[in-house]
Amino acid sequence: MQIGMVGLGRMGANMARRLLARGHACTVWDANPAAVEALVAEGATGAASLADLVGKLAPPRAVWIMLPVPAVESIVEALAALLAPGDCAIDGGNSPFEAAIRRAALLAPRGIDFLDAGTSGGVWGRERGYCLMIGGARAAFDRLEPIFASLAPGRGEVAPIGTGTATEGYLHCGPPGAGHFAKMIHNGIEYGLMAAYAEGFNVLAHAGRGRDAASGTEHAERYAYDFDLGAIAELWRRGSVVSSWLLDLTAAALAKDPALEHFTGHVADSGEGRWTLKAAIDTAVPAPVLSAALYARFGSRGEGAFADRLLSALRFEFGGHREPGSGT
């Protein structure tokens, strides 16, 4: 099949490469001409503008948008004027699911389909494939299924439990917004999983604190362990119930940098964790683990520093407790 790809960053460029390798015709455009030239050298058709990209596609067209959230709206608005009835615009980024509902409603009167395709796979997707959670009109999904099947991982070595396309790594999740809603929850869970690994390995890293007489560790004699964190991660990858791709990545990171000295611990959040909690609040669903994981990211950026100082100040005010190293 043919498809247009708008946005050739870390995800979009590799998705185009995966499609090219599987025989699809890709017309590509990015604000950075060098990114377009790189894909043209690998077999894609380059476009000089969004209008040029649409003009180089034969109807019915499909244009996949792989851009940061703030950039998507203007592209969708431009495509509304460029595409024709029967064409389809696909947002594969991490846009809010509400935006997909609105965009589908905007394009529907023009006869243009809109699919929201939650995409997971990161920089490894070109090799491993992309897990795709897709919302929108079923007919548009069915027409473009060869694209989704080529991007998805396929069954690989994972034994199927259910049936249908989910066993191949892609799924029509429901009407507009369903794909991005599923991806939003996926990323909220990801926050929690990452936090659980981080906290667990942090306890392991401090399991020898009892050897430091100044640490004030209760039952200090019990905490004299010196774990090889990389070896523990490697061990748990084999036969453990906590094995996962995230654990694979943990082991890889610790193998390259055992003390993680190349990282400051400043952890960003791209929005999906916040949106997940908003949906949980709107639907009165408890999500304490996901909430704690998001707040931990805020804390990593120093957003709790004032609260910590106030706690210290209150201890001094009511009990005269002074901070260690204060000199008084």
Side-chain angles (χ1 to χ4, degrees):
M1 293 188 72
Q2 63 164 4
I3 190 164
M5 181 67 71
V6 175
L8 303 176
R10 289 173 297 179
M11 292 281 282
N14 278 343
M15 292 171 73
R17 291 184 176 103
R18 187 172 174 88
L19 289 171
L20 287 168
R22 284 154 178 76
H24 298 281
C26 295
T27 299
V28 300
W29 176 70
D30 189 276
N32 177 11
V36 176
E37 292 169 6
L39 266 294
V40 169
E42 298 179 44
T45 299
S49 66
L50 186 62
D52 186 35
L53 178 140
V54 171
K56 289 180 175 179
L57 296 173
R61 305 169 185 88
V63 178
W64 191 301
I65 306 164
M66 207 66 196
L67 292 169
V69 172
V72 175
E73 188 71 13
S74 63
I75 297 296
V76 172
E77 290 175 354
L79 287 174
L82 293 170
L83 296 178
D87 293 346
C88 182
I90 308 157
D91 179 11
N94 285 324
S95 297
F97 75 94
E98 300 96 334
I101 297 172
R102 176 172 50 77
R103 289 164 182 162
L106 169 70
L107 297 178
R110 303 169 186 260
I112 302 168
D113 289 311
F114 182 87
L115 296 178
D116 47 290
T119 306
S120 181
V123 296
W124 293 92
R126 179 184 178 183
E127 174 186 343
R128 292 169 52 98
Y130 301 88
C131 177
L132 300 172
M133 297 144 266
I134 303 156
R138 181 70 196 222
F141 168 86
D142 290 342
R143 178 171 75 82
L144 296 172
E145 189 168 354
I147 295 292
F148 304 137
S150 293
L151 287 171
R155 293 191 180 186
E157 298 178 357
V158 181
I161 295 175
T163 59
T165 66
T167 64
E168 304 290 337
Y170 66 99
L171 180 68
H172 181 256
C173 296
H180 279 165
F181 192 97
K183 180 57 163 46
M184 173 184 75
I185 303 304
H186 166 284
N187 284 24
I189 292 171
E190 179 184 296
Y191 280 29
L193 292 173
M194 292 171 70
Y197 283 126
E199 292 178 11
F201 276 91
N202 197 29
V203 175
L204 287 170
H206 289 84
R209 179 164 282 181
R211 293 175 301 198
D212 179 2
S215 70
T217 303
E218 187 175 1
H219 303 298
E221 71 282 0
R222 302 178 184 175
Y223 300 102
Y225 302 113
D226 185 16
F227 289 107
D228 181 335
L229 301 187
I232 293 290
E234 187 66 26
L235 170 69
W236 287 350
R237 293 178 64 211
R238 291 164 169 79
S240 166
V241 295
V242 299
S243 61
S244 72
W245 185 37
L246 286 173
L247 184 60
D248 295 345
L249 298 176
T250 300
L254 291 170
K256 289 182 287 188
D257 184 5
L260 302 178
E261 293 175 345
H262 292 85
F263 298 90
T264 65
H266 184 286
V267 186
D269 70 285
S270 54
E272 301 89 342
R274 304 184 191 211
W275 306 337
T276 296
L277 293 184
K278 182 180 183 302
I281 292 168
D282 287 348
T283 56
V285 174
V289 172
L290 306 190
S291 176
L294 177 63
Y295 289 138
R297 295 195 178 200
F298 296 166
S300 79
R301 307 196 294 259
E303 302 297 346
F306 182 82
D308 293 339
R309 294 197 298 272
L310 182 57
L311 286 172
S312 185
L314 289 171
R315 291 189 78 246
F316 177 76
E317 291 296 329
F318 71 70
H321 303 288
R322 298 186 181 276
E323 293 179 343
S326 64
T328 56

